[in-house]
Amino acid sequence: MFRTKQDVDRHAASVLGRLKNEKEKNSRGYQIARLYFDVSEYEVAKRYLTSFLSVRETVPQAHKLMGHIFLKTNEKEKALACYKRALGLDGSQKDLIIKICELCTQVPMDPERARFWLEKAEQTCPGNDVIFRLREMIAQNSGDEDFQELENLITSELTQRPEDVSLRVKLLRFYLKSGKLDHAYNVAVQTDRTMAFTDSLEWYETLLDVYYAYKGKTGCRGDLRFYTQFLHTLRNVVYLRLCYREPVACAEVLHQFDQVLQEAVQIPNQQEDDWMSFLTEMTGQFFFSCGTLLLKRAQKGGLSWKDVIPLASVCYLLNNSIITIDSRSEWFVSASKDKKSMYEHLHMISNFRRSQGGHTLQALGKGDTATWTQKLRQQYCRQQGREKLYDTVFTLPDMRAKKDSSYLIKNRTYTDNVLLFPSRRQMRSFDSGCYRLHPQSLTNFIWLALQRYSCKDKAQPYYGFDIFEDLVYSVKNMSVGGAESLCQLDTDVFLIASVCCAALRHQEMIHMGHSDPTQPDFLPLSLTKPLCTQEQADWWLAAYKFHTNTVKDNFSKMRHTLQRGIETVRLVAGHGVSVNLIIHIARSLEVKASEMKQLGPQFTLNVTDTETRAEFYWEQALEMLNRLDKNRNPHVPKHRLFKDDTDQDLDEATIKALTSEVQYAVGCAAMKKNKYEDAINIFDKLHTPYASLNSAKIYKVLAEQERSRDAPVGREQHQILLTKARDAIYRTFDLLQGDKKHELNKSVQQHYDEIESQLMSVAEWGDDEEPSQYHTPTAIQMDGDVSSPDHSTPRDKSKTKSPAAQVSFNTSDAGRHIRPSPEHMDAKIRSLAYSQESLVKMVLARNEELVKFNSQLVEALRENREVITQLKELNKSVQQHYDEIESQLMSVAEWGDDEEPSQYHTPTAIQMDGDVSSPDHSTPRDKSRTKSPAAQVSFNTSDAGRHIRPSPEHMDAKIRSLAYSQESLVKMVLARNEELVKFNSQLVEALRENREVITQLKTEELARQFKKNFEEVQELVRATESGTDVLPASPAKNTNSSANVSKSQDVSVTEEEEEDDDSEEESIMFEKRATLTYFENDEWKKLGMGNLKILYNDDLNGNQIDMETDDKQKVCNHVICREHSIKLENQKRACMWSAQDFSTDEPVRRDFKAAFSSVAAAEEFAKSFMEGVSLARDSELSEKISHEMDTPVIFSHGDATGGQTRILVSQSEASSATSMGGSSQCETRIQPGESEGSQSAASSLTGEGVSATDASSVVSCSPELSALLSSFLEEDQKR
């Protein structure tokens, strides 16, 4: 409630000021005394409590408080009296009985009185440690020196508490005091071989006293068992004193170690493998301890770091050159059970010394380690160096007097050993062999982890510390944190978080700097301050004890500590973990999962659980970032387990960058779970090459799924998805921006080649598919979508497979994000070239079909004209016959019954197949000569009497039927003729659309590509010269179009593919940061700051200067010519030169000045500049020539017919158009001598929305396309 004495003073004055009665003021003394006791004002509390007891003497709480006050002021007898008085007033206070018994062991007391309180304590609190101490005190203070009773007391207590090191120490001390040295030695050896108290300095110091007493009694000469235990104990005492004691105490026991080690090596005729290996290990431990003691003295200020580091480094190098104990040796494997624990401990401390010494060497070593090691050997691995090391380590006179019996002086290991600097691979092996030496110490694991991780790393590696391997690996419910639910991933995450926080503190310490700049950043573990907080250390210890089931005391407290830590690592409400730390944990878990995959299939389940836990942290981080973006800071508890305040430094840009990373990770997790739609939605929002590449992979998978469907819709979806995959690859190329060192370059190119090959195969027609007779090529949309225009001519949609669908340029995406990369443009140009060839072949094939169909159409029209002519003649003949028949019928009506028709009447024959023949009319007619072509129908007048004469109704029906048939046939012919005329007009329209598609493909698209990147236009021109035909100079030779088409078809696509499409890269001759200015209007004006480069241009065989500012603005671009010169100014930190600058819309001559950060950088630039001038002289590069490059450059290429095609390109115009960002334009310039057909074709091309006067580039066309366009235009002009 109150924190300081002043607060309590004000409160007491306020309370007592309202009271006027002195008795009432005294009655308030107890409450005021408690307040003063809480702020450690014991004298004031005693005064107020005394005044209270003067009026209320029978209050037990007041006497108890007075006992506490006396205990704090070290008045133990008065405290004992107060506790007794309080217990007399209230006998139910059991805690006072323990207090009284404890004070009985600290103040002189009659043994009988002490036994009274002992019996009282045994009745109320049996098994308490205070009871044992009181019994021990009573036994020691008894006059008869009953050692047997005390021994029985200690041994009986040990049966109840075998892991209590204090009881073990008391028993050994009791044996020493009672003179039972043999018994003490045997108990000490037997207990020490269990390795139960390896971290207790008190235990090993007691053992040392026992061994010295035993040696003094028996001598122990030649006793290998004794020297093994003795040296092992000395090593442990040295190490633990280095951890907890001052350098003087450490040097004392290290000198003893040196003397005893010399005694051990002098034991004669002892060559057993285990003994020799043990001596070798003790030698390594000795040199390791010497180096650590030297560093400890420098740390304490006793020696300078400059003097200590060489000597300590020699000691650590000698330590590293001594091999570790081989756990596979015969003596190690066949060791007896009582030695096994000790040998395993020796193996761990052997790896521990090499791990600690090796990492310390890496912190001490500077520069070339081999040279550094050789230099140390030459300077210190001699007799003088050994003497210096001994005098530096052992400073006391009595120590220096014993040089003759020193192992360091007498043994040849120091001078004869080879110094070896450890490799990182060796360090990994040593680390894995020693981390179990101190499993309950979190600092031990953090120290090892910091040797492999620093704050510069985004994630921590997989350490492989399997301390909790018996726990379950993971749990599914992350919303609770019970102690029973502890799993391996919880401990891994806790270690990752602890290491991250320790690395931040270590980095802050390095930035603050050491008092001595030569002090290394890392010291051995024994000299390092705790690398974690006390709360973190308590959690790790509680987790280890619960795991090993060794919790004895404070069970509820440890359980609460463990539960709080589990809730924190599982991010239960109020966890207090920063978003940066959560992201770091997720990254580290992903690294662990990827490394576990390489260990084998037996870790598959663990890998899945690790990835699931990492996904959990990614999702939590994304939720927290969304809150931070909305200025909703999460609640931070007062006591945080992981204090990381990096969230306070997050600005808007950092939050966006972290959000992008987290979203990418969430998208990858969705991709692994086959949630492709969610993954694509996430990847499309990100602007990283990894995200776009993953999108391409997803589209490929979806395309393969659609490919398995036999339906036409499935095949069409397959092509659409592959096109989207290729668009994603294009976007990846743009984001990589030609970074040759990026890890994705190889895989992106492989994916692109696979997708492109699949699209090419999709473009080919299947064996059972034929293009529709009325098929028109599909339009190419420049936004990346493939759509079909509305055709009036019917076609089969299921068989529409346009090769143009392969090409899809998403220019809108490129404009929103970043300028297209050279790889993107190269891929698009190659795809466009293939698409052009495919489209031209398809159009030519369609046109051949149309020509064939037109010929069939003309033939059908010709037949129709003949049929119409025959019908007209038939109509006339029918009318004549009708008139004759009518006249005959009329004459028949006038005949009598006995009359016969005239002998000259002959019926006219009629053919019903539409063909009409007229008989030979001769007057008079001779029946023998009458040969009517209409032989199918004849009326024989001689047989008329035997048959029924045709009735008028019959003849009328026949005539009407013939008239109807004639009318139907005429309507059908006329309708078909109208359909043919209509289809012919549609055919002409389709041909015109084909011409527009070809013109658009050959002019607008490639012109825009040429303007964007003129260097890639040159690559396209080279490809054209090697295998692609261009527009013929004489179209008169193309009158026989079918011959030219057949020749053009001989040009295969494979010849294009065999060309080396890789553009020659510009080599960087110089690149430094600089500030560029130019002189204008009598003052220097700043252009900007950025990387100033001198590049070698292989095409020019010269150098050029290029500079972009940090905001990607081009401020300087010119070729170094032979007229140029340069000079240094401003203390030689700036360079000045003059040149014609092409970075502006129009070339401008400027005086440049580049200011560098150092004189060396400026001199290097001037040197590279003059090298460029020298190269320009060799290549005859002049500013005059460069200025005249505004004239067109003519490239010639032979076509299929032997003619010459000429392409004119204006380099300055193309560069100007590209920099202006105008729309693409195309111009065809006809050279003298070309025919009118070529001029008409050229004028038609420029007429398709392209201005000839504003043209900035010339586009090449294939001979087939030129001939086809010319023929279309000629036919169009005729019509």
Side-chain angles (χ1 to χ4, degrees):
M1 184 177 179
F2 301 102
R3 297 183 178 180
T4 62
K5 179 178 180 297
Q6 291 76 11
D7 296 339
V8 180
D9 289 341
R10 287 192 293 269
H11 177 71
S14 175
V15 172
L16 298 178
R18 295 193 295 267
L19 302 176
K20 297 181 179 180
N21 190 345
E22 189 68 23
K23 186 176 181 180
E24 292 182 359
K25 291 182 179 180
N26 292 335
S27 63
R28 297 294 182 92
Y30 175 75
Q31 289 81 2
I32 297 174
R34 285 194 64 84
L35 296 177
Y36 279 108
F37 181 82
D38 292 338
V39 296
S40 302
E41 292 294 331
Y42 304 121
E43 293 298 330
V44 181
K46 186 190 300 183
R47 187 172 67 249
Y48 278 101
L49 192 57
T50 302
S51 64
F52 174 79
L53 289 174
S54 64
V55 295
R56 300 184 63 181
E57 198 273 337
T58 60
V59 178
Q61 291 80 6
H63 291 283
K64 184 178 180 180
L65 179 59
M66 185 63 76
H68 292 338
I69 294 173
F70 283 129
L71 195 61
K72 290 292 184 180
T73 58
N74 204 24
E75 300 176 84
K76 296 181 179 179
E77 294 182 354
K78 292 182 179 180
L80 181 59
C82 291
Y83 287 147
K84 290 179 180 180
R85 176 61 177 160
L87 186 62
L89 293 174
D90 184 8
S92 62
Q93 303 181 79
K94 296 182 180 180
D95 59 324
L96 286 180
I97 298 177
I98 299 300
K99 281 285 186 182
I100 293 171
C101 291
E102 186 176 1
L103 287 174
C104 289
T105 62
Q106 300 174 8
V107 300
M109 179 173 286
D110 180 64
E112 294 301 325
R113 193 66 181 166
R115 280 195 175 92
F116 168 78
W117 291 109
L118 177 62
E119 293 174 359
K120 204 169 185 63
E122 288 177 343
Q123 294 175 1
T124 56
C125 306
N128 196 288
D129 181 54
V130 176
I131 298 176
F132 170 75
R133 283 185 280 155
L134 184 57
R135 279 181 177 177
E136 183 182 11
M137 187 271 296
I138 294 173
Q140 291 175 351
N141 293 338
S142 60
D144 54 355
E145 292 286 337
D146 190 356
F147 292 108
Q148 188 62 40
E149 181 182 355
L150 185 58
E151 181 181 0
N152 295 337
L153 176 64
I154 297 174
T155 53
S156 63
E157 193 70 19
L158 276 174
T159 57
Q160 300 179 10
R161 293 183 293 160
E163 297 178 357
D164 192 339
V165 65
S166 63
L167 289 177
R168 298 286 182 181
V169 170
K170 285 179 181 179
L171 182 60
L172 292 180
R173 295 292 180 188
F174 169 75
Y175 288 145
L176 288 175
K177 186 177 180 180
S178 61
K180 299 180 179 181
L181 293 181
D182 294 339
H183 202 49
Y185 174 73
N186 293 329
V187 171
V189 171
Q190 183 179 1
T191 306
D192 188 37
R193 285 186 174 179
T194 62
M195 298 295 132
F197 311 111
T198 54
D199 296 328
S200 174
L201 177 59
E202 182 186 12
W203 166 252
Y204 282 111
E205 287 180 339
T206 304
L207 287 183
L208 201 59
D209 294 339
V210 171
Y211 293 149
Y212 270 115
Y214 183 75
K215 180 184 177 184
K217 177 182 178 182
T218 61
C220 301
R221 294 185 179 276
D223 189 351
L224 299 185
R225 176 172 177 259
F226 170 79
Y227 276 101
T228 300
Q229 294 295 143
F230 198 13
L231 288 172
H232 181 257
T233 301
L234 282 169
R235 178 267 164 198
N236 291 334
V237 173
V238 170
Y239 178 77
L240 293 173
R241 284 194 179 184
L242 286 171
C243 294
Y244 306 116
R245 301 290 177 84
E246 293 299 318
V248 176
C250 300
E252 178 185 358
V253 71
L254 182 59
H255 183 262
Q256 297 174 16
F257 192 15
D258 174 60
Q259 297 292 318
V260 175
L261 187 57
Q262 179 62 20
E263 294 176 9
V265 298
Q266 291 178 349
I267 298 176
N269 302 324
Q270 300 294 338
Q271 301 296 326
E272 290 83 354
D273 291 341
D274 55 347
W275 172 248
M276 298 305 297
S277 298
F278 177 78
L279 284 181
T280 302
E281 177 58 30
M282 290 299 105
T283 302
Q285 294 290 342
F286 173 75
F287 284 116
F288 171 72
S289 301
C290 288
T292 306
L293 177 58
L294 291 173
L295 295 180
K296 187 177 183 71
R297 282 187 171 161
Q299 187 183 40
K300 296 294 183 179
L303 296 172
S304 66
W305 287 103
K306 183 178 180 181
D307 297 334
V308 162
I309 287 178
L311 291 173
S313 299
V314 171
C315 292
Y316 286 131
L317 287 169
L318 288 170
N319 162 69
N320 185 68
S321 63
I322 298 173
I323 62 174
T324 57
I325 289 180
D326 187 6
S327 60
R328 296 170 297 181
S329 60
E330 183 180 355
W331 66 268
F332 191 98
V333 175
S334 60
S336 58
K337 187 176 182 180
D338 60 332
K339 294 182 179 180
K340 195 69 173 179
S341 298
M342 182 179 179
Y343 286 172
E344 290 177 351
H345 183 261
L346 282 173
H347 180 258
M348 284 192 290
I349 65 173
S350 180
N351 283 281
F352 180 78
R353 68 169 172 84
R354 296 195 69 180
S355 171
Q356 294 284 303
H359 288 305
T360 307
L361 272 175
Q362 291 176 350
L364 298 176
K366 305 296 182 183
D368 185 7
T369 56
T371 304
W372 179 71
T373 302
Q374 185 65 23
K375 184 178 179 181
L376 288 176
R377 176 172 176 77
Q378 293 174 356
Q379 291 181 355
Y380 294 99
C381 290
R382 296 181 297 176
Q383 184 62 30
Q384 295 83 350
R386 176 156 51 184
E387 294 283 348
K388 183 177 180 180
L389 176 62
Y390 186 91
D391 294 338
T392 307
V393 174
F394 306 119
T395 58
L396 297 180
D398 58 341
M399 296 178 183
R400 293 183 178 179
K402 297 182 179 180
K403 279 187 178 181
D404 295 338
S405 59
S406 169
Y407 177 80
L408 178 60
I409 297 298
K410 294 296 182 180
N411 198 270
R412 300 176 60 89
T413 304
Y414 185 86
T415 56
D416 295 349
N417 224 327
V418 178
L419 302 184
L420 299 176
F421 196 90
S423 64
R424 294 192 178 274
R425 183 176 181 181
Q426 288 177 323
M427 299 312 302
R428 299 280 179 87
S429 175
F430 300 148
D431 292 346
S432 62
C434 72
Y435 71 88
R436 294 180 182 272
L437 185 62
H438 306 288
Q440 74 283 358
S441 172
L442 180 60
T443 296
N444 172 47
F445 292 97
I446 294 177
W447 192 93
L448 290 174
L450 289 179
Q451 309 309 314
R452 299 174 57 186
Y453 166 74
S454 66
C455 292
K456 298 178 182 179
D457 303 324
K458 283 191 173 183
Q460 298 181 34
Y462 174 48
Y463 302 115
F465 299 148
D466 297 329
I467 296 298
F468 302 91
E469 66 273 10
D470 294 335
L471 292 175
V472 295
Y473 189 79
S474 179
V475 294
K476 295 183 179 180
N477 190 358
M478 298 291 291
S479 60
V480 296
E484 295 79 8
S485 64
L486 179 67
C487 63
Q488 292 185 44
L489 278 179
D490 292 333
T491 60
D492 290 342
V493 172
F494 191 93
L495 179 61
I496 291 171
S498 301
V499 170
C500 183
C501 294
L504 290 173
R505 290 193 296 269
H506 184 73
Q507 184 184 40
E508 183 179 356
M509 181 190 69
I510 294 176
H511 287 170
M512 293 175 61
H514 304 292
S515 57
D516 190 340
T518 59
Q519 179 179 348
D521 294 335
F522 276 101
L523 294 174
L525 181 62
S526 57
L527 307 183
T528 304
K529 296 179 180 179
L531 298 174
C532 58
T533 64
Q534 188 60 44
E535 292 80 4
Q536 294 170 357
D538 291 342
W539 187 90
W540 189 267
L541 179 61
Y544 180 75
K545 286 191 173 182
F546 270 86
H547 168 59
T548 57
N549 197 23
T550 56
V551 180
K552 301 299 181 182
D553 301 326
N554 300 324
F555 182 86
S556 60
K557 181 180 179 181
M558 282 194 172
R559 181 184 177 85
H560 176 74
T561 301
L562 184 61
Q563 181 172 345
R564 178 172 177 263
I566 295 175
E567 290 177 350
T568 301
V569 298
R570 294 182 184 176
L571 305 183
V572 181
H575 52 81
V577 184
S578 67
V579 65
N580 269 321
L581 184 54
I582 294 175
I583 293 175
H584 178 79
I585 292 172
R587 293 177 187 148
S588 301
L589 289 178
E590 287 190 342
V591 171
K592 177 181 179 180
S594 63
E595 293 188 15
M596 289 178 68
K597 288 180 182 178
Q598 303 175 4
L599 299 179
Q602 65 271 22
F603 293 94
T604 302
L605 185 59
N606 291 352
V607 169
T608 303
D609 292 339
T610 305
E611 291 175 344
T612 303
R613 179 67 71 96
E615 182 182 355
F616 166 77
Y617 288 115
W618 285 123
E619 292 173 352
Q620 294 294 318
L622 183 59
E623 183 179 348
M624 291 183 65
L625 286 171
N626 291 335
R627 293 177 183 174
L628 290 174
D629 192 37
K630 299 176 183 177
N631 295 325
R632 294 169 54 191
N633 295 324
H635 171 70
V636 179
K638 183 178 180 180
H639 301 287
R640 301 168 63 188
L641 192 57
F642 303 107
K643 296 180 180 179
D644 177 18
D645 299 328
T646 54
D647 283 1
Q648 299 177 1
D649 302 330
L650 294 179
D651 54 9
E652 184 178 355
T654 306
I655 292 176
K656 288 184 178 179
L658 291 176
T659 303
S660 177
E661 178 186 0
V662 174
Q663 287 178 340
Y664 174 76
V666 174
C668 291
M671 182 178 173
K672 291 179 181 178
K673 294 181 177 180
N674 297 334
K675 297 180 180 180
Y676 296 133
E677 184 176 357
D678 297 340
I680 288 178
N681 291 335
I682 294 174
F683 291 148
D684 288 346
K685 298 176 183 178
L686 304 178
H687 307 287
T688 63
Y690 297 96
S692 56
L693 180 59
N694 281 343
S695 296
K697 292 179 180 178
I698 293 176
Y699 284 127
K700 281 181 62 180
V701 172
L702 296 177
E704 289 297 325
Q705 294 177 358
E706 292 294 336
R707 186 180 183 181
S708 61
R709 298 169 56 186
D710 296 332
V713 177
R715 294 193 295 271
E716 185 175 353
Q717 283 296 111
H718 173 67
Q719 183 177 1
I720 293 173
L721 290 171
L722 285 178
T723 304
K724 290 184 177 181
R726 185 181 58 189
D727 292 341
I729 294 294
Y730 286 158
R731 188 181 180 193
T732 307
F733 280 135
D734 295 342
L735 293 170
L736 289 175
Q737 273 298 317
D739 185 3
K740 299 300 181 183
K741 297 181 180 180
H742 201 283
E743 61 181 356
L744 289 183
N745 281 326
K746 185 176 181 180
S747 60
V748 170
Q749 189 62 43
Q750 290 176 351
H751 284 292
Y752 174 77
D753 294 339
E754 292 175 3
I755 294 171
E756 194 67 26
S757 63
Q758 292 182 24
L759 280 171
M760 290 179 182
S761 63
V762 169
E764 301 295 335
W765 299 104
D767 296 334
D768 57 346
E769 288 182 313
E770 294 181 1
S772 173
Q773 184 180 3
Y774 308 112
H775 172 70
T776 303
T778 304
I780 301 175
Q781 304 295 328
M782 304 313 295
D783 59 353
D785 295 332
V786 181
S787 59
S788 302
D790 185 14
H791 297 280
S792 58
T793 305
R795 59 191 177 95
D796 187 359
K797 294 183 179 180
S798 64
K799 295 186 178 182
T800 302
K801 301 289 186 179
S802 173
Q806 296 184 30
V807 183
S808 173
F809 295 152
N810 197 336
T811 56
S812 60
D813 289 343
R816 281 201 308 269
H817 300 298
I818 196 167
R819 187 173 54 196
S821 63
E823 292 82 359
H824 183 171
M825 300 302 299
D826 180 70
K828 280 192 174 182
I829 289 173
R830 285 192 283 120
S831 177
L832 184 64
Y834 173 78
S835 178
Q836 170 192 342
E837 291 295 329
S838 301
L839 185 61
V840 168
K841 288 180 180 180
M842 186 192 67
V843 170
L844 292 175
R846 298 295 179 272
N847 287 336
E848 288 180 359
E849 294 176 2
L850 291 174
V851 170
K852 185 182 297 185
F853 181 76
N854 276 337
S855 62
Q856 295 175 357
L857 183 64
V858 171
E859 185 68 26
L861 290 174
R862 184 178 296 110
E863 293 177 356
N864 289 344
R865 290 195 205 100
E866 295 176 357
V867 170
I868 292 171
T869 303
Q870 293 176 3
L871 288 174
K872 288 180 180 179
E873 294 177 355
L874 177 63
N875 193 19
K876 294 179 180 179
S877 174
V878 168
Q879 186 63 34
Q880 293 174 0
H881 284 288
Y882 177 77
D883 294 339
E884 292 177 1
I885 293 171
E886 282 293 329
S887 61
Q888 291 179 16
L889 287 174
M890 293 176 63
S891 63
V892 168
E894 295 176 357
W895 294 343
D897 296 335
D898 55 349
E899 290 183 351
E900 294 182 1
S902 174
Q903 61 177 347
Y904 297 102
H905 175 71
T906 304
T908 303
I910 300 175
Q911 282 189 330
M912 301 309 296
D913 58 355
D915 194 7
V916 181
S917 299
S918 299
D920 185 13
H921 297 279
S922 58
T923 303
R925 292 184 179 93
D926 185 2
K927 292 183 180 181
S928 63
R929 296 175 57 190
T930 302
K931 301 290 185 181
S932 175
Q936 295 181 10
V937 181
S938 65
F939 299 100
N940 195 337
T941 56
S942 62
D943 298 331
R946 291 180 298 178
H947 300 286
I948 299 176
R949 184 174 58 231
S951 64
E953 291 81 4
H954 185 183
M955 297 301 299
D956 182 72
K958 282 190 175 183
I959 291 172
R960 291 179 182 277
S961 174
L962 182 62
Y964 178 76
S965 175
Q966 171 193 352
E967 183 180 1
S968 299
L969 182 60
V970 170
K971 287 182 179 180
M972 179 187 68
V973 172
L974 292 177
R976 185 179 181 188
N977 196 23
E978 288 178 358
E979 289 178 357
L980 291 174
V981 172
K982 184 178 179 181
F983 175 75
N984 202 14
S985 63
Q986 293 174 353
L987 183 64
V988 173
E989 183 65 21
L991 294 175
R992 184 176 290 107
E993 288 179 0
N994 289 347
R995 184 192 63 192
E996 291 175 358
V997 171
I998 297 171
T999 303
Q1000 181 181 5
L1001 182 64
K1002 296 299 297 179
T1003 60
E1004 295 180 358
E1005 179 62 18
L1006 289 179
R1008 179 160 56 253
Q1009 300 300 327
F1010 288 172
K1011 279 197 172 186
K1012 284 185 178 179
N1013 196 326
F1014 183 74
E1015 294 178 358
E1016 296 183 6
V1017 173
Q1018 291 178 328
E1019 293 296 329
L1020 181 61
V1021 170
R1022 294 191 188 98
T1024 304
E1025 292 176 346
S1026 61
T1028 305
D1029 291 332
V1030 293
L1031 189 64
S1034 179
K1037 297 179 180 181
N1038 293 330
T1039 55
N1040 189 3
S1041 61
S1042 61
N1044 289 333
V1045 169
S1046 63
K1047 290 182 180 180
S1048 66
Q1049 289 175 348
D1050 293 336
V1051 181
S1052 62
V1053 181
T1054 57
E1055 293 178 356
E1056 283 188 34
E1057 295 176 351
E1058 292 175 355
E1059 294 177 3
D1060 185 8
D1061 293 330
D1062 295 334
S1063 61
E1064 298 177 359
E1065 295 295 329
E1066 294 177 328
S1067 302
I1068 298 178
M1069 313 303 293
F1070 172 86
E1071 182 177 8
K1072 295 287 185 183
R1073 296 279 296 174
T1075 301
L1076 190 65
T1077 57
Y1078 72 99
F1079 191 78
E1080 185 180 36
N1081 299 330
D1082 297 331
E1083 63 176 346
W1084 290 100
K1085 296 184 179 180
K1086 184 175 180 181
L1087 287 171
M1089 180 181 291
N1091 289 343
L1092 183 60
K1093 302 178 182 179
I1094 296 181
L1095 308 174
Y1096 173 74
N1097 193 316
D1098 189 45
D1099 294 334
L1100 298 175
N1101 192 25
N1103 292 349
Q1104 67 182 59
I1105 295 180
D1106 181 87
M1107 179 172 176
E1108 284 188 358
T1109 60
D1110 293 336
D1111 56 356
K1112 304 300 181 183
Q1113 182 179 359
K1114 181 80 73 173
V1115 295
C1116 181
N1117 183 15
H1118 69 84
V1119 177
I1120 300 178
C1121 300
R1122 63 188 181 188
E1123 297 90 353
H1124 291 169
S1125 62
I1126 192 169
K1127 61 180 179 178
L1128 298 173
E1129 286 194 354
N1130 297 340
Q1131 291 80 32
K1132 298 183 178 181
R1133 291 180 61 251
C1135 297
M1136 296 179 56
W1137 74 95
S1138 178
Q1140 191 83 4
D1141 184 24
F1142 288 86
S1143 65
T1144 57
D1145 294 341
E1146 295 292 337
V1148 177
R1149 186 163 194 85
R1150 283 181 171 175
D1151 296 328
F1152 291 104
K1153 179 192 286 187
F1156 298 91
S1157 60
S1158 63
V1159 176
E1163 291 177 350
E1164 183 181 353
F1165 175 76
K1167 181 180 178 182
S1168 299
F1169 188 96
M1170 294 309 299
E1171 291 176 354
V1173 173
S1174 177
L1175 188 61
R1177 291 171 182 169
D1178 296 339
S1179 304
E1180 298 184 356
L1181 295 178
S1182 173
E1183 280 194 342
K1184 180 178 180 182
I1185 298 175
S1186 176
H1187 183 69
E1188 291 176 354
M1189 285 299 291
D1190 200 33
T1191 61
V1193 180
I1194 302 175
F1195 299 93
S1196 298
H1197 178 68
D1199 61 5
T1201 61
Q1204 289 291 325
T1205 297
R1206 300 181 181 182
I1207 303 176
L1208 293 85
V1209 179
S1210 176
Q1211 183 172 358
S1212 63
E1213 288 177 357
S1215 301
S1216 175
T1218 304
S1219 62
M1220 292 169 62
S1223 61
S1224 301
Q1225 295 173 341
C1226 177
E1227 175 185 3
T1228 303
R1229 303 181 185 177
I1230 308 300
Q1231 300 300 316
E1234 293 181 342
S1235 64
E1236 294 181 359
S1238 297
Q1239 295 179 1
S1240 64
S1243 63
S1244 66
L1245 285 174
T1246 57
E1248 291 294 327
V1250 182
S1251 174
T1253 59
D1254 296 335
S1256 60
S1257 62
V1258 176
V1259 182
S1260 63
C1261 302
S1262 65
E1264 298 84 25
L1265 182 60
S1266 174
L1268 184 63
L1269 291 175
S1270 299
S1271 62
F1272 287 167
L1273 293 171
E1274 291 174 0
E1275 293 179 4
D1276 193 21
Q1277 290 174 357
K1278 290 178 181 180
R1279 284 193 295 269

